[in-house]
Amino acid sequence: MRSRVIMVLAVLAILLGTGLLVPTAYAELAGDDDAGGIGGGAAAEKVPAPAPTEPPDPTLAAGPVSVDFKGQFFGWALMDRKTGKISGSKNMTSTSSTESMFKAWIVSDYLRQLGDKEPPEEKLKYASLAIRDSNDDAANWLYVAAGGSYKPPAGGQPSPVLKRAIKICGLTDTKRGNVPDYEGWWSFTRMSPRDAVRLGDCIADGKAAGPKWTKWVLNEMAQVRGSVTQQQDRSGGGKWGIVDGLPAEIKSQGPVSIKNGWTPLSYDGNWHVSCLAVTDKWSLAVMMRYPVKQGLPYGAKVCSSVATQLVTPQPGAALKVPQQPVGKL
């Protein structure tokens, strides 16, 4: 009897001891000295919610472009000027005529050859008019002064002015125009969208006009004036196209230098339209040929549409809110 009592007391002692130890062990597992929890102690650590981050400044970047184009040729190319990478349409190496877009090179080539010398005031005015108003007579004078000629070199060779553009700017698809009765004319220079963005980069990085005149040329290109409806026989408004497709957030980042080319040509019944724009971040070109009856505003809208579709991120993109980390228990 006495042994049974001793056994019962021993069992009770074991059970009571286990009941006291389990909560203590659980508390030690669930909490520690610094953070509270189920086991008691200090309150849970409060982690502040992370602030939303602003999206990066918009720019132009490679992406899909969809245009309901009705015409003979449409191509575009975009250069990231920080990396030199060129993206664009599948036919961005195919060529079309530059028209007045080439005037940006003619002016740059003429001024670079002057070095540190100042041109006569009248001639500098020609350079300004050739870009700002796309004045044909001013461009023609500068073309001849830079070494060009309307008598094409033998053997299908490019003029000295075009030859320098190919060499200095690293153009690989560009060639002399071959329009009957106008062979060798600078306006009919055949250039691809890929080479056009290289030309824009060449002007912006100082190779085209040289150290003394680069800023001047880029500023003139940023001052192009006149709308798509303001056209004359030997000059015309050229502030349209790519620049119209850019949001204010991009335009406010710095100057957008542009030079467009446009001519309705009777020999093929097409408008030949070329759009070029360059900033410190990118160079964009859009080139096309389409029926004259569609009018110049049609081409201007196509250039604008391409630019708008390449804006990244799109204006009004939502703020990014980082995921809040889980607090420590």
Side-chain angles (χ1 to χ4, degrees):
M1 182 71 181
R2 186 172 180 179
S3 60
R4 289 182 181 180
V5 171
I6 293 173
M7 184 178 294
V8 169
L9 290 175
V11 171
L12 287 173
I14 292 171
L15 291 173
L16 288 172
T18 304
L20 291 172
L21 287 172
V22 170
T24 303
Y26 182 77
E28 288 177 355
L29 290 171
D32 58 26
D33 293 338
D34 298 321
I38 298 175
E45 180 183 357
K46 294 182 179 180
V47 179
T53 59
E54 291 285 347
D57 290 336
T59 186
L60 297 191
V65 169
S66 178
V67 175
D68 183 21
F69 181 74
K70 296 178 174 63
Q72 186 182 79
F73 174 82
F74 163 73
W76 65 273
L78 174 70
M79 174 188 283
D80 181 331
R81 295 195 57 231
K82 294 183 186 284
T83 65
K85 184 177 180 180
I86 300 175
S87 56
S89 56
K90 292 181 179 180
N91 63 344
M92 68 176 177
T93 62
S94 299
T95 64
S96 190
S97 62
T98 60
E99 306 307 322
S100 292
M101 185 179 75
F102 196 67
K103 289 172 181 173
W105 169 259
I106 293 173
V107 170
S108 298
D109 189 46
Y110 168 74
L111 292 173
R112 187 194 65 260
Q113 293 181 70
L114 293 177
D116 292 330
K117 295 188 298 183
E118 293 284 338
E121 184 176 346
E122 180 184 22
K123 303 309 184 280
L124 193 59
K125 184 178 180 180
Y126 286 173
S128 178
L129 291 174
I131 292 178
R132 291 195 186 200
D133 296 335
S134 204
N135 187 287
D136 290 339
D137 296 324
N140 288 337
W141 187 92
L142 294 169
Y143 178 70
V144 173
S149 171
Y150 287 96
K151 183 178 180 180
Q157 292 298 309
S159 71
V161 175
L162 177 56
K163 189 178 293 186
R164 285 191 293 270
I166 293 171
K167 181 179 180 180
I168 293 173
C169 299
L171 310 183
T172 57
D173 311 317
T174 300
K175 61 194 75 173
R176 190 178 89 179
N178 57 357
V179 178
D181 300 324
Y182 300 99
E183 184 132 5
W185 282 40
W186 58 260
S187 58
F188 297 131
T189 296
R190 307 284 299 183
M191 187 177 291
S192 67
R194 180 173 68 173
D195 271 0
V197 298
R198 288 169 173 162
L199 179 66
D201 179 63
C202 185
I203 293 171
D205 71 9
K207 293 177 185 175
K212 180 177 176 60
W213 296 104
T214 294
K215 288 184 178 180
W216 186 91
V217 171
L218 290 172
N219 180 67
E220 290 299 308
M221 292 173 68
Q223 301 299 320
V224 167
R225 55 199 172 196
S227 72
V228 73
T229 62
Q230 295 174 311
Q231 304 299 318
Q232 296 82 42
D233 288 339
R234 307 291 296 170
S235 63
K239 190 175 183 180
W240 43 264
I242 292 172
V243 70
D244 291 338
L246 301 177
E249 293 91 336
I250 287 183
K251 294 178 184 179
S252 65
Q253 293 174 22
V256 179
S257 300
I258 67 172
K259 187 68 194 83
N260 297 325
W262 62 100
T263 307
L265 295 175
S266 58
Y267 78 88
D268 68 353
N270 285 321
W271 271 102
H272 288 224
V273 176
S274 299
C275 297
L276 174 65
V278 61
T279 70
D280 60 348
K281 296 180 180 178
W282 48 262
S283 178
L284 174 64
V286 185
M287 305 178 75
M288 70 199 86
R289 300 188 299 274
Y290 59 87
V292 169
K293 64 181 181 181
Q294 292 172 220
L296 180 56
Y298 175 81
K301 290 179 180 178
V302 171
C303 291
S304 174
S305 176
V306 172
T308 298
Q309 293 180 62
L310 294 174
V311 174
T312 307
Q314 288 291 317
L319 297 180
K320 293 183 178 179
V321 181
Q323 184 178 359
Q324 183 174 349
V326 178
K328 186 178 179 182
L329 292 179

